[in-house]
Amino acid sequence: MMDDQTISTDRRTAMALGLAGLGTASLPGIALAETTAQGRAEASPRRSVLLAEGWRFHLGHAADMAKDFDFGLNQRTYAKPGRDVSPATLADFDDSGWSAIRVPHDWAVDLPFAGPAAPAEKDKEDAVAAHGFKTIGRAFPQNSVGWYRCRLPVGAADKGRAVWLEFDGVFRNCKVFVNGFEAGGSASGYAPFRVDIADFLDYEGGANQVAVRVDASLGEGWFYEGAGIYRHVTLVSAAACHVPQWGTCVRAEVDGEGAAVTILTTLANDAESPAKVTVRHAVHDAEGRQVAMAADHLAEPGALGKVEFEQTARIRAPRLWSPASPYLYRLTTEVLRDGVVVDRTETAFGVRTVTFDAVRGFTINGQNVKLLGVCNHQDHAGVGAAIPDALHEWRVDRTLEMGANSWRSAHNPSAQVLLDICDRKGMMMIAETRLNTTNPEAMDELERMILSSRNHPSIILWSVGNEEGHQGSERGRRISAELVARCKALDPTRLTTQAMDQGWDGGAAEAVDVVGFNYRTDKIAAWHERHPDKPVIGTETGSTVSTRGAYENDEARHIVKAYDTEHPWWASTAEEWWTIVANAPYIAGGFIWTGFDYRGEPTPYPAFPSVASYFGAMDSCGFAKDNYFYYRAWWRPDQPLVHLLPHWNWAGREGQPVPVWAHGNCAEIELLLNGKSLGRKPMPRNGHLEWQVPYAPGKLEARGYNGGKVVARDQRVTASAPAKLKLTAERVRLAAGGADLSVLRVEVRDNAGNPVPTADNALRFSVSGPARIIGLGNGNPTSLEADKGDSRKAFNGLAQAIVQGSGSSGSARITVSGEGLSPAAIDLFFH
């Protein structure tokens, strides 16, 4: 999959558009390219266009079908394809009054909050709370249908070719129209899908228009899911005889002579006459060197037909993919007709061996590795479900820094770009289907998940369900067995799992290869004694709750202290579950619930104004909570760490004891207050240390010792009143083009430069130059401020701005200010 950060419009693309009877000037923001493993553009008979810019959006009216379909124009029907549908689907419809937006796009994140429901409407409140109290769903039909329109860059040069649209994710139930014809769609909010559009295009010089109607009236989860075209859309134009979407599958098996590579290829012929072509495969390493090739294959697909065939190749001395060394190969597939290349695709893959064992746990390439995992929904402060590629990467980097090596996409297939990032960075993935049932829709969604993702070496397990009501029953076993069988038919190289919160002695546990425990980690040992031959994993663990930067519970204000003590009844502390898993070799690992806070499913406070969960090791902005450092200590034990909590601003509590904790992995930790030692203690393995310290303003310091030497430090200093702002970014040099972005951290400080841990100042942001703020956040799960705009309050001293390029090169200055505070600014450079 192409990364929109590397796409650019070049001379060859402009020529291609010109041949198609188009001009790039009429298609602002449309970017085209073919890229090789070396990153250079290369002429190709296949054309792929990432449809990011040039979209228009209008919020529909599900309660009034006339408005929903034509926004007040004459009502139409489905009597005649291409004519008797909404005028909004036609090329000549005037959409100048619609909002100009960039895809990915989530309209739900911009909606107002519903507020608390009356007691008589408690059921309604529960449903609305699940989705973060946003005014969307059946209770708010006026906000639950949206329309998108985009001009398609196709024309005369595409006549006789296969042309299709690839949607990686649309939430939810959508219909795709091209020039007034309903061309396809998808009910699923998560499974990727393809829409063939060649039959509906105008090749005679007329405009070509796609319109997408999205209906998010019904949700699929019990968490915030967004609404709209929240993942990438790609237009593909290929030769009539071509490799279709997901048409190559690469399987590499390590043996004594290297790696045997099996290549499964599907070839489609959209022409009305038979074809006779040669298919050629070559494998290149990460440096671009050809390291293997398959024998040419002569294929003869019939008219409007498909053929599938298998070829083999061998890599003599393969470099293996692993979290420590995520090495990728690239398969180039060419289709030749009369010796001329008419189609070319590239498929990234890795060579690795993965096993799950009931005694040894998890191994990769023969090495025993504990899965140090996080569960995550697709949601981030400021942008909702429409996470840009660079923000996906930033989130993965934050998680890797904590020490995690694996990610569970809960509870649905992830974005393809996230899988690409995991492939490159060595983050292993459990991919999970949304529906644990066997109706045609569920089976189709499972199939789309596997076909789209089975070449990704990062995926180590397919999950066929999560806490299903029938999980422990015979029905649950039958359903999961059928799903597992379909997984194995499509991908016999991977094992399957299911996340279960009860019924592990029967039901679905008998159908899957690796049994998943959601919580109840303390029950695994007894279960293992009863099932000594069954691999096991903690699919959800911990589920601690906390408010970042808070150290006292306050039920009235919906605040949860950040010591590792607070959790719902079904869960445990981080230390409790990890100690069990760390000391049990047969447990493959565990996936904490969750890596990041997320909107919806507000826990532990299910009522307004809690609009988000408190589960994350990081808040919704990715700011670390204290438990982040517990995991960081024991998941990266080779890097000395000491982390001190709480903050040291407790005016009015002088002389009163304050609980002080230290997370860390050093042999001993010494605590000092204002330079005076309060004692040195040995750090218990996988544990933490505690002191009761009478409060006195000043400096609280922790020193970590290994072999009698200080190897790590941390401190908390009593801050005075907020006086100034500090603005930082991990990346200041960015790619131009409108896709790349930087995540900015705002910190409130006192005159001496100390962080003010309780600051909640109102902040204002401004931008000059080729950039825009696409989202703001502060990590407060009770915040009702808008995610978009130019203002945001700090929360416990921090706030975040996500700044994206506007498409041009040059420098942009972002300034943040607040009343009574010295402002801060930072320059970003787009090139």
Side-chain angles (χ1 to χ4, degrees), residues 248-252 261-264 283 331 347-350 454-455:
T248 54
C249 176
V250 187
R251 298 170 181 161
V261 180
T262 300
I263 306 163
L264 307 177
V283 177
L331 172 74
T347 306
F349 70 97
R454 59 185 176 178
N455 290 316

Side-chain angles (χ1 to χ4, degrees), residues 59-64 107-108 111-118 121 123-146 214-219 227 608:
L59 193 60
H61 301 270
D64 183 339
W107 85 69
L111 295 175
F113 290 100
E121 298 179 302
D123 290 343
K124 173 183 174 182
E125 182 180 60
D126 289 344
V128 175
H131 288 78
F133 285 98
K134 285 293 186 176
T135 50
I136 195 165
R138 286 183 295 177
F140 305 96
Q142 72 277 13
N143 294 336
S144 299
V145 172
V214 183
D215 187 344
S217 300
L218 295 177
F608 196 80

Side-chain angles (χ1 to χ4, degrees), residues 339-609:
V340 177
V341 176
V342 296
D343 191 33
R344 181 187 295 114
T345 64
E346 291 189 344
T347 306
F349 70 97
V351 179
R352 87 285 189 275
T353 301
V354 165
T355 64
F356 285 85
D357 184 83
V359 176
R360 295 185 63 200
F362 174 77
T363 65
I364 184 164
N365 303 325
Q367 180 181 358
N368 190 248
V369 174
K370 191 72 79 172
L371 293 173
L372 313 174
V374 297
C375 299
N376 282 315
H377 294 307
Q378 182 165 323
D379 176 31
H380 193 89
V383 297
I387 298 181
D389 295 7
L391 184 55
H392 272 301
E393 186 162 1
W394 185 88
R395 285 163 59 89
V396 171
D397 285 342
R398 291 289 292 145
T399 307
L400 288 168
E401 174 63 24
M402 185 176 75
N405 61 18
S406 46
W407 186 297
R408 175 173 168 239
S409 181
H411 301 287
N412 46 262
S414 70
Q416 285 295 308
V417 70
L418 177 57
L419 295 179
D420 292 338
I421 293 165
C422 290
D423 288 347
R424 295 199 313 267
K425 292 182 173 287
M427 178 71 80
M428 296 178 285
M429 172 73 73
I430 295 179
E432 188 162 88
T433 193
R434 174 76 290 273
L435 298 176
N436 181 256
T437 187
T438 53
N439 63 41
E441 172 64 26
M443 297 300 285
D444 183 55
E445 290 181 21
L446 175 69
E447 182 167 320
R448 282 185 270 158
M449 178 183 77
I450 294 175
L451 292 178
S452 66
S453 305
R454 59 185 176 178
N455 290 316
H456 290 281
S458 55
I459 294 180
I460 56 171
L461 281 171
W462 302 117
S463 174
V464 298
N466 174 76
E467 296 186 6
E468 309 297 335
H470 50 245
Q471 60 193 331
S473 68
E474 171 58 20
R475 177 184 291 112
R477 186 203 62 78
R478 290 198 309 270
I479 288 173
S480 291
E482 190 167 340
L483 295 172
V484 167
R486 190 61 184 143
C487 290
K488 297 295 179 68
L490 296 170
D491 178 24
T493 69
R494 289 180 178 86
L495 299 181
T496 60
T497 190
Q498 184 162 325
M500 303 174 64
D501 62 346
Q502 58 180 302
W504 300 278
D505 287 317
E510 298 178 2
V512 297
D513 303 296
V514 181
V515 174
F517 269 69
N518 279 10
Y519 317 112
R520 285 68 167 194
T521 314
D522 58 340
K523 298 182 182 297
I524 295 179
W527 176 89
H528 178 64
E529 290 184 4
R530 300 192 299 273
H531 306 274
D533 299 323
K534 194 81 169 183
V536 63
I537 191 171
T539 36
E540 288 179 23
T541 56
S543 209
T544 55
V545 288
S546 64
T547 301
R548 175 187 53 78
Y551 300 99
E552 293 182 307
N553 289 335
D554 188 335
E555 186 172 354
R557 297 171 59 209
H558 289 200
I559 291 174
V560 187
K561 62 185 179 182
Y563 298 99
D564 184 24
T565 57
E566 309 304 296
H567 57 82
W569 64 266
W570 63 81
S572 64
T573 67
E575 187 171 322
E576 285 169 348
W577 85 261
W578 173 243
T579 300
I580 293 171
V581 172
N583 293 325
Y586 63 89
I587 302 178
F591 290 73
I592 63 172
W593 190 266
T594 52
F596 295 82
D597 281 350
Y598 56 93
R599 302 164 207 263
E601 198 175 20
T603 309
Y605 299 112
F608 196 80

